[in-house]
Amino acid sequence: MIKELKSLIMNSNYLQYIYNLNLTKLILLLLILNCYSCSYNKSKPFINELKLQNYVEQFNADDEELYSNITNEEAYDFLKKNIPLFECPDIDFERTYYFRWWTYRKHIKHTDDGYVITEFLPDVDWSGKHNTISCPAAHHYYEGRWLHNFKFLDDYSYFWFRKGGEPRLYSFWVADAMYNRFLVSSDSKPLLDLLPDLIENYKAWETGWDWYGHHIGKRNNGLFYTLDDRDGGELSVGGHGYRPSLNSYMFGDAIAISKIAKLAGKPEIEKKFLNKAVNIKSLVQNKLWDKESNFFKVLPAPKVDKDIKEVSSGLSDARELYGYTPWYFNMPDKGYEIAWKHLMDKDGFYASYGPTYLEQRHPKFEISYQGHECLWNGPSWPLATCNVLTSLANLLNNYDQKIINEEDYFELLKIYTNSHKLKRDDGKVVPWIDENLNPYTGDWIARTRLKSWKNGTWSKEKGGKERGKDYNHSTYNDLIITGLMGLRPRNDNIIEINPLIPKDMWDYFCLDNVLYHNKILTLVWDKHGDKYNIGKGFMLFVDGKLMAHKETIEKIKLSY
């Protein structure tokens, strides 16, 4: 209606008519148009909070609350105050979205050092202070950046550097994670305050350290070396060496520190770390790219680098899911996109509950219920899957290519969504997130192994009863918000929306109560106009006011 009126007003004959109107009639017409526009202002939430309440009540009813920080009784009130709301016609997506927020709040732990976020709910022997582990911490930032209360991640940031955290116990792209959190909150204070700590952390990685006979860190050839288990992928086929994952993380951190230095008005540091990033990118593309198999791979290396010229046996023969990590940081130049053809290949990574970590055509691919409970030679791992989905969203948004598309993104996200289930002994299927999956059956492998590990039951040395229940080592809701719904965080006054949902997939969806740059955003798609009764189309509301309206789901870029 508004578009039609504007079109009519721009018509030359109508302009002549307006000109001939007396002043009183003209003012009256403008008042009518203004009142009509006001009717598009959002006066109440599009998503009833009863939806959240009903999900929380169901999750609580199905839960054996073995461990708690923020309790189930407190869950609804906490989530109501803190999370964006989401609605769509696919019950699996909707349920999993609320389930993952319900599990995330369990891991928000208040300590004498402020709030921290945990990976496991029970205390495990391999954790650090307050049961923290740095391996999943970047995911905690990417997921938790959408919470309305900034204190949780503010405290967590100071904990890692000034209150006893161990940020280098595992690979951890901490500067990148903190910067990407800032892109949502727009609060630069903790970021700028911790810049010296982030720089010292990066220098420590460059200097390196000895770990059980290995020297982890930067080597003479300029690449960073680590063990696969220190890189979140133990007992993998690619093994120890110069891994695409760690070297991508160091690229991401160098870029982030450069950007933070720019915010701080420190051009020398900005340039220095930008140059570091450029150097790593060149090394990754020249040394970790396998031209024959068209994939980024692990380059094995000696345990200790004492010689200037290092002898290597060549790249690993294994395509592994972490080979997509460079796109997590938009690192590769154009021309490497061919690697993505393996993701949806049934002989590659594609599986019913996949993707698999190791490509299925590899002779060492195996789904085993013997030996170590956490193998990276075949199973599907949520932490690797969410990395790939973040990387794929970047590829679809920032690269011009035809290897893979939004239909593939949606299918992979749907598979990931459907993996969030467990069939209990009583036959009931409940929402679930754990460690690693059988990519063909959806069975949670580590859980199946651990529940009869010692004398037919759980082992305290392995973390105790249900150690992997509500496991917090992956993102999901950040994928929904930034990928599927398409809100692309950025450091300026532009709101960019680019949903990765295939055409005609859903008749409606809504993402509501999103705190972004101190504004509340609401994104609505209503194909027929009868779901939310505000008209047909794709709409963006900012602080309750309609700011963009499209006939179809398409990209929106709006200055505010």
Side-chain angles (χ1 to χ4, degrees), residues 136-203:
H139 297 303
H140 297 163
Y141 280 92
Y142 270 80
E143 193 87 334
R145 60 182 172 164
W146 301 105
L147 293 171
H148 289 200
N149 190 334
F150 294 170
K151 183 171 175 55
F152 306 129
L153 292 184
D154 283 350
D155 285 359
Y156 197 38
S157 299
Y158 283 98
F159 167 77
W160 282 118
F161 295 110
R162 300 182 185 178
K163 297 189 177 182
E166 299 176 85
R168 293 180 297 281
L169 194 59
Y170 293 87
S171 300
F172 175 16
W173 50 111
V174 58
D176 169 83
M178 290 177 60
Y179 180 77
N180 275 275
R181 184 255 176 141
F182 155 74
L183 293 184
V184 173
S185 71
S186 73
D187 179 11
S188 63
K189 183 177 179 181
L191 199 63
L192 298 179
D193 188 32
L194 288 167
L195 177 58
D197 303 80
L198 294 171
I199 292 172
E200 288 304 311
N201 181 65
Y202 200 95
K203 287 180 180 177

Side-chain angles (χ1 to χ4, degrees), residues 63 65-74 105-109 121-122:
D63 187 38
E65 193 174 9
L66 298 170
Y67 317 98
S68 62
N69 291 303
I70 297 172
T71 66
N72 286 356
E73 184 179 357
E74 299 168 304
R105 57 83 202 175
K106 287 189 176 190
H107 291 271
I108 301 173
K109 182 177 184 179
L121 287 172

Side-chain angles (χ1 to χ4, degrees), residues 228-283:
D228 57 3
D229 84 301
R230 295 298 93 189
D231 201 34
E234 56 264 44
L235 301 172
S236 66
V237 174
H240 315 323
Y242 307 116
R243 295 170 59 83
S245 40
L246 174 60
N247 283 278
S248 297
Y249 303 153
M250 299 311 298
F251 169 87
D253 268 13
I255 288 290
I257 291 172
S258 176
K259 291 179 177 179
I260 298 166
K262 183 176 182 179
L263 290 173
K266 298 180 182 297
E268 291 184 3
I269 296 175
E270 176 191 357
K271 183 178 179 180
K272 179 180 179 180
F273 276 86
L274 181 58
N275 288 338
K276 290 177 185 291
V278 169
N279 186 53
I280 295 173
K281 173 179 176 176
S282 176
L283 289 168

Side-chain angles (χ1 to χ4, degrees), residues 35 82 106 197 282 333 378 384 475 477 530 537:
C35 289
N82 277 289
K106 287 189 176 190
D197 303 80
S282 176
D333 289 325
T475 60
N477 294 326
D530 55 2

Side-chain angles (χ1 to χ4, degrees), residues 113-131:
D113 297 307
Y115 286 99
V116 299
I117 316 294
T118 60
E119 175 181 357
F120 294 95
L121 287 172
D123 289 343
V124 294
D125 292 342
W126 54 96
S127 66
K129 190 176 184 183
H130 305 311
N131 204 34

